[in-house]
Amino acid sequence: MAQGIMELLFDAAYLIFALTVGIYLIVKGSGKFFKMFGIMAVVLSFGDSFHLIPRVYALLTTGLEANAFALGLGKLITSITMTIFYVILYFILEGVWQPNKKWKLGGRITLYALTALRILLCAFPQNEWFSYEGNLLWGILRNIPFALMGIVIIVICFTIAKQNKDKSYAIMAVMVILSFGFYIPVVLFAGVLPIIGILMIPKTLAYVGVVVIGLLKHRKAVRSVQTAGKLTADI
């Protein structure tokens, strides 16, 4: 029960925060960069709600095993939306990276191939989404293309950080690394040790870090515009 209450408070704060930031950036963000960041944050909040709400309900009521169907359906939906999250993040980064035609084509082909493979693997009934134990082998298989998408994002983030001398993208890369670092043990061991699912909390915080970077960049851009306007008025 204590774990359920703790996760309820955390998840509510997280989902509301991500959704609020997303809507704010969509409405107030100037330019494609910030609006895409907003859409990405909304997708993150919307998708995670399908997994987190059933999990909290299960912890506060009859337990995880008794709610296997709802938890499995939520995990399936979240698996798809998190894939979309990385697709959006890739295009955000591509706009900053601005690769040449060869790298751009190669990057997009890789992204589309991994996305298609990830979704295809998620669709196989062998995943046993709606059983409490699930299928460990297929849990690993469907996350291989997902992890490779993460590696692509990490490499691009570090490339941008070096290219633009912008440490925020290096921090973003670290957030993605941490998210996978906390997620992998859940994939491997949550079926036999449910308490390890609590690692989804620091994993979630890593994604919040990515969203916060977008918010801070927007605030910095707004301040720059305000400062420029003040200087023009002074002149």
Side-chain angles (χ1 to χ4, degrees):
M1 180 65 74
Q3 181 184 345
I5 293 173
M6 181 182 72
E7 290 197 29
L8 170 63
L9 296 174
F10 175 83
D11 293 344
Y14 155 62
L15 293 175
I16 292 171
F17 175 78
L19 182 63
T20 302
V21 171
I23 293 173
Y24 171 76
L25 290 176
I26 291 171
V27 175
K28 297 291 187 179
S30 57
K32 184 179 179 180
F33 177 87
F34 294 116
K35 291 189 181 298
M36 287 184 69
F37 240 111
I39 294 171
M40 185 181 72
V42 170
V43 168
L44 178 65
S45 175
F46 177 75
D48 270 2
S49 67
F50 285 95
H51 168 65
L52 296 177
I53 293 174
R55 177 177 170 82
V56 168
Y57 174 81
L59 289 172
L60 292 175
T61 56
T62 52
L64 297 173
E65 190 169 357
N67 293 274
F69 180 85
L71 290 168
L73 180 61
K75 285 167 62 178
L76 171 58
I77 295 172
T78 301
S79 295
I80 302 300
T81 57
M82 284 309 304
T83 306
I84 296 172
F85 173 91
Y86 275 110
V87 170
I88 298 171
L89 181 56
Y90 175 87
F91 282 107
I92 290 172
L93 296 172
E94 185 187 75
V96 180
W97 180 28
Q98 295 184 342
N100 59 41
K101 290 183 179 181
K102 180 180 178 180
W103 279 100
K104 185 175 183 179
L105 178 61
R108 290 193 177 189
I109 290 175
T110 301
L111 176 75
Y112 294 146
L114 291 174
T115 300
L117 181 58
R118 160 76 166 171
I119 294 174
L120 177 64
L121 289 172
C122 286
F124 275 80
Q126 287 88 343
N127 285 284
E128 299 177 25
W129 287 109
F130 308 122
S131 70
Y132 178 65
E133 294 83 6
N135 187 303
L136 178 58
L137 174 60
W138 278 82
I140 294 171
L141 289 176
R142 68 175 179 262
N143 278 294
I144 290 174
F146 187 56
L148 292 174
M149 291 177 73
I151 291 172
V152 170
I153 295 297
I154 291 165
V155 171
I156 294 175
C157 281
F158 278 128
T159 300
I160 294 172
K162 182 177 180 180
Q163 174 182 290
N164 295 0
K165 293 181 173 57
D166 188 338
K167 292 182 180 179
S168 65
Y169 290 99
I171 296 173
M172 188 181 294
V174 171
M175 292 297 103
V176 176
I177 292 170
L178 288 174
S179 72
F180 278 99
F182 290 117
Y183 179 56
I184 290 172
V186 175
V187 173
L188 296 176
F189 306 117
V192 294
L193 189 63
I195 189 65
I196 207 165
I198 203 168
L199 288 177
M200 296 298 282
I201 290 179
K203 167 190 172 289
T204 299
L205 288 174
Y207 283 121
V208 169
V210 174
V211 171
V212 168
I213 288 171
L215 178 62
L216 293 177
K217 283 187 170 296
H218 177 264
R219 294 184 64 181
K220 182 178 179 180
V222 169
R223 286 196 299 269
S224 296
V225 171
Q226 291 173 341
T227 300
K230 184 178 184 299
L231 289 174
T232 301
D234 289 343
I235 292 171

